[in-house]
Amino acid sequence: MNETKRNWKPATALVHGGTARSAFGETSEALYLTQGFVYETAEAAEARFKGEEPGFIYSRYANPTVDMFEKRMCLLEGAEDARATASGMAAVSAALLCSVRAGDHVIAARALFGSCRWVIETLMPRYGIETTLVDGTKMAEWEAALRPNTKLFFLESPTNPTLEVIDIAAVAAIANGIGARLVVDNVFATPLQQKPLELGAHVVVYSATKHIDGQGRCLGGVVLSDKKWIDENLHDYFRHTGPSLSPFNAWTLLKGLETLPLRVRQQTESAARLAGHLACHSGIAKVIYPGRNDHPQADIIARQMKGGSTLICFEVKGGKQGAFRMQNALETIRISNNLGDAKSLITHPATTTHKNLTDETRAQLGINPGTVRLSVGLEDADDLIEDIDRALDQAA
Ligand SMILES: *Cc1c(COP(=O)(O)O)cnc(C)c1O
């Protein structure tokens, strides 16, 4: 049976939640590497297909190991139901596409993860879904974009890479006011630091590839919402388009969830220390860190986030050349576009993750030639500070 207590605190739920022990009574979650399931009788198969008897049918629909991951994520998020996906983008695209059709209108904040922006800007219009991108921090822009056929809102906060923060409750109020649904990509905040459903959002999506795995091993994603929305929108879409998570990856992610609070707490603590250090460094033009008083949306962060971020965005003096020289001089921090990992990773968005945007769009988003994004890992913060200081000295 599933081990689930609604009143568990997050750390406990992340160790025990959703566990379905087999007859062997194993301590660690069982890994059910199976495509399908057998039935004792033809009648049992019939009953299961009719939905009259509980049980698994086929791993594209559901699988016991994946089910444990989904149940544990529901406990963490405070959501009624979830579907785990093969990647974060599978989660985002399923969440966005399953509930809209040709003729509907979608409004999204323009500061988005590159692939999310492609789905909104390029893919959806191909199927006759109208889309508008707005400056997500300006409520008047969301209001002005409303149309009679607006069905869905989408945003990410803090945003990638500039860690801009959007007032989720305010956007949710606009969406709910016209009966539209707000989908929030909560990757940068992690499920521990921000609760979009409590703030009025209707659907939350994650790339589990990031903090949830947190150790660079496998891709994964998850969509969470109330049971009604999932039944009416995602259920059939998910079964028939097949973005399902592999049981092996679900098992890995279950292990990731056990240590998520410890890792996020430590990484946030180190990031806050690094951000404070960088803000005083003469080689740095600007530091953006949710958790610092000089963050442009510090008041919203205080209201909607329970803690800072594991990520820091900063601008190295000397533009692209300065940023490249600094990155190349790093010895402990590695150059990579990934984030949320145990290893500290640095990326230069203008030439990697955000290279497909025009110069004008990049400037609009605050992505300058010297901008770098640092994902702080689990190394000792002293070693990271020493690494950055030495690299900045060499770059100057
Ligand atoms: C990484 C990421 C995604 C995509 O996740 P994948 O697991 O790489 O498919 C979506 N949104 C945000 C904010 C991300 O950081």
Side-chain angles (χ1 to χ4, degrees), residues 68 83 98 100 111 143 145 156 165 192 205 213 234 238 254 256 258 285 339 351 357 372 383 387:
M68 288 189 245
R83 291 290 182 279
C98 74
V100 292
E143 298 265 14
E156 166 189 326
V165 170
L192 296 161
V205 293
D213 175 45
L234 188 58
F238 183 87
L254 278 162
E258 292 182 344
L339 64 98
T351 52
L357 299 178
V372 292
D383 287 330
D387 200 33

Side-chain angles (χ1 to χ4, degrees), residues 92 158 262 293 304:
V92 171
L262 294 174
N293 293 334
Q304 89 180 15

Side-chain angles (χ1 to χ4, degrees), residues 86-140:
S87 69
M89 281 322 300
V92 171
S93 54
L96 292 179
L97 291 168
C98 74
S99 70
V100 292
R101 59 196 63 215
D104 286 347
H105 176 236
V106 178
I107 310 175
R110 68 187 179 199
L112 292 176
F113 182 75
S115 298
C116 297
R117 187 154 167 152
W118 184 85
V119 170
I120 297 276
E121 224 179 1
T122 307
L123 184 67
M124 294 184 111
R126 276 189 202 162
Y127 296 96
I129 301 156
E130 301 166 20
T131 62
T132 307
L133 289 172
V134 298
D135 178 341
T137 62
K138 299 203 168 85
M139 293 311 122

Side-chain angles (χ1 to χ4, degrees), residues 86-92 112-113 115-116 154 156 158-160 185-188 205-210 218-221 337-339 373:
S87 69
M89 281 322 300
V92 171
L112 292 176
F113 182 75
S115 298
C116 297
F154 180 58
E156 166 189 326
T159 64
N160 178 33
D185 180 336
N186 206 35
V187 165
F188 271 54
V205 293
Y206 289 100
S207 163
T209 313
K210 310 297 164 52
C218 65
L219 303 183
N337 44 285
N338 207 358
L339 64 98
R373 184 195 76 194

Side-chain angles (χ1 to χ4, degrees), residues 9-181:
K9 298 230 170 14
T12 314
L14 287 172
V15 174
H16 293 292
T19 300
R21 288 211 166 78
S22 80
F24 297 111
E26 64 281 349
T27 314
S28 176
E29 297 74 12
L31 172 48
Y32 293 94
L33 276 183
T34 182
Q35 298 167 342
F37 303 84
V38 296
Y39 313 97
E40 286 303 318
T41 62
E43 286 78 10
E46 183 184 32
R48 208 167 289 179
F49 269 77
K50 275 189 180 163
E52 290 169 353
E53 181 188 276
F56 296 95
I57 294 174
Y58 188 52
S59 286
R60 170 154 39 81
Y61 296 179
N63 167 282
T65 311
V66 177
D67 193 58
M68 288 189 245
F69 173 67
E70 291 170 346
K71 291 206 160 61
R72 201 170 282 181
M73 281 303 305
C74 283
L75 283 176
L76 175 59
E77 198 66 43
E80 287 175 4
D81 206 358
R83 291 290 182 279
T85 56
S87 69
M89 281 322 300
V92 171
S93 54
L96 292 179
L97 291 168
C98 74
S99 70
V100 292
R101 59 196 63 215
D104 286 347
H105 176 236
V106 178
I107 310 175
R110 68 187 179 199
L112 292 176
F113 182 75
S115 298
C116 297
R117 187 154 167 152
W118 184 85
V119 170
I120 297 276
E121 224 179 1
T122 307
L123 184 67
M124 294 184 111
R126 276 189 202 162
Y127 296 96
I129 301 156
E130 301 166 20
T131 62
T132 307
L133 289 172
V134 298
D135 178 341
T137 62
K138 299 203 168 85
M139 293 311 122
E141 290 205 16
W142 292 94
E143 298 265 14
L146 291 177
R147 295 181 194 170
N149 54 340
T150 303
K151 294 283 162 57
L152 206 63
F153 284 43
F154 180 58
L155 66 85
E156 166 189 326
S157 180
T159 64
N160 178 33
T162 52
L163 308 178
E164 194 174 84
V165 170
I166 299 175
D167 188 337
I168 296 174
V171 177
I174 300 172
N176 293 329
I178 59 153
R181 301 303 198 189

Side-chain angles (χ1 to χ4, degrees), residues 340-379:
D341 201 279
K343 296 177 170 63
S344 290
L345 304 173
I346 196 161
T347 188
H348 183 251
T351 52
T352 61
T353 53
H354 291 70
K355 75 166 178 23
N356 290 338
L357 299 178
T358 60
D359 289 345
E360 192 197 347
T361 305
R362 267 196 300 272
Q364 222 178 28
L365 295 174
I367 304 169
N368 300 320
T371 302
V372 292
R373 184 195 76 194
L374 175 63
S375 170
V376 178
L378 288 172
E379 304 92 339

Side-chain angles (χ1 to χ4, degrees), residues 137 139 157 163-170 194 199 289-307:
T137 62
M139 293 311 122
S157 180
L163 308 178
E164 194 174 84
V165 170
I166 299 175
D167 188 337
I168 296 174
Q194 181 168 278
L199 295 165
Y289 181 70
R292 277 180 62 80
N293 293 334
D294 59 3
H295 187 287
Q297 291 96 30
D299 55 329
I300 300 170
I301 293 166
R303 263 187 282 130
Q304 89 180 15
M305 292 182 71
K306 296 180 207 305

